[in-house]
Amino acid sequence: MSTPDTGAADAAASSRFTQAYQDLRNLIVSGHFPPNARLTEAELTNRLDVSRGTIRSVLVRLAQEGYVTSEPNRGVRTRVFTIEEAAAVLEAREVLESALAAKAAVHATEPELAELADICAKMGDAEDAHDEAEYSRLNRCFHRHVRTIARQPILSGFVDVLVYPLVMRQFRDLARSHPRANSLNEHCAVLAALLTHNPDAAAAAMRHHVASARRALLLNTASDEEGDAPDRAPG
């Protein structure tokens, strides 16, 4: 049985681990570390202000979740995806997000749908203004809001661990226009299905949208490889 002192120490260690894990995960997802970047214990210890033991534990968890890889003689590096691995991640996202859209069609309230409609309207404004950063932010808000109103935390949690942002950062070509053609129309189709509370239509619209994004992303990658195009910046 632990004493009050050991209990407090355990709680403090757990808190340090959780904070370090969240901070490093956010750095990786945000693109601070590009694909295949080496992560050293010394650098991370200084950056995150925790012990090497804590950093080792954090890296083990991130490796288990697919954010980093650890190999003999190469150390720990941020994940690099093959086209096949990227396709698998994106296909899994299609299944999960379409299921969440179906649930959202059942559970959404009128105020929640009004908020989603407002997001779509602002996406249209951002597209007209050629504000790619704002469109991307609103796109993330749209998908996050659908997941929230679905009221399915387990399904939503599966989306969180898909490392989808890493795939996008590795494969998205910043030289190509964003948003892609028909992206806004696809979001509006999802909204229309939700407004009618039709789960089958909502699932189909969301799956079409996510599948279209997958095909565009990987088609661009395959075309670049075949054409020996210059390297893309991760983004």
Side-chain angles (χ1 to χ4, degrees):
M1 182 176 179
S2 62
T3 65
D5 288 343
T6 59
D10 290 344
S14 177
S15 176
R16 287 192 297 272
F17 169 84
T18 299
Q19 188 61 56
Y21 163 78
Q22 292 174 345
D23 289 346
L24 183 52
R25 180 182 179 276
N26 288 340
L27 285 169
I28 294 172
V29 169
S30 69
H32 179 84
F33 297 108
N36 203 36
R38 186 169 185 181
L39 305 178
T40 65
E41 291 180 6
E43 177 192 357
L44 296 177
T45 296
N46 291 332
R47 177 182 291 276
L48 302 178
D49 193 25
V50 292
S51 69
R52 288 204 173 199
T54 298
I55 289 297
R56 291 189 192 105
S57 297
V58 167
L59 291 174
V60 166
R61 178 171 173 182
L62 290 171
Q64 292 171 339
E65 295 178 349
Y67 290 93
V68 302
T69 58
S70 179
E71 300 178 15
N73 303 320
R74 296 190 74 244
V76 177
R77 293 178 179 271
T78 50
R79 177 88 174 269
V80 176
F81 296 86
T82 65
I83 292 180
E84 293 75 17
E85 289 171 333
V89 170
L90 296 173
E91 287 166 2
R93 181 173 176 252
E94 290 170 30
V95 174
L96 293 170
E97 294 229 28
S98 62
L100 286 162
K103 293 295 184 181
V106 174
H107 296 297
T109 65
E110 295 309 308
E112 289 170 335
L113 291 172
E115 183 176 351
L116 202 61
D118 183 59
I119 293 172
C120 269
K122 290 177 179 176
M123 290 174 74
D125 293 340
E127 184 176 53
D128 291 342
H130 305 289
D131 189 340
E132 296 186 4
E134 178 64 2
Y135 188 94
S136 293
R137 185 189 72 80
L138 291 165
N139 174 55
R140 293 191 296 271
C141 288
F142 181 94
H143 285 270
R144 187 165 55 246
H145 191 54
V146 171
R147 289 165 55 188
T148 298
I149 63 182
R151 294 170 175 78
Q152 294 289 322
I154 294 178
L155 275 178
S156 186
F158 288 146
V159 177
D160 287 335
V161 299
L162 271 181
V163 295
Y164 167 74
L166 301 190
V167 171
M168 290 298 296
R169 290 197 173 278
Q170 180 179 334
F171 287 96
R172 183 182 164 199
D173 186 353
L174 295 181
R176 286 189 165 90
S177 61
H178 180 76
R180 62 181 173 78
N182 294 322
S183 172
L184 181 59
N185 289 338
E186 291 162 12
H187 285 88
C188 291
V190 174
L191 173 63
L194 294 175
L195 287 170
T196 60
H197 297 280
N198 185 327
D200 292 337
M206 181 63 83
R207 186 148 196 172
H208 171 72
H209 166 57
V210 180
S212 296
R214 169 180 58 82
R215 287 191 293 269
L217 184 71
L218 299 184
L219 179 62
N220 289 343
T221 301
S223 298
D224 286 350
E225 289 183 349
E226 292 172 2
D228 196 25
D231 292 341
R232 299 179 305 280

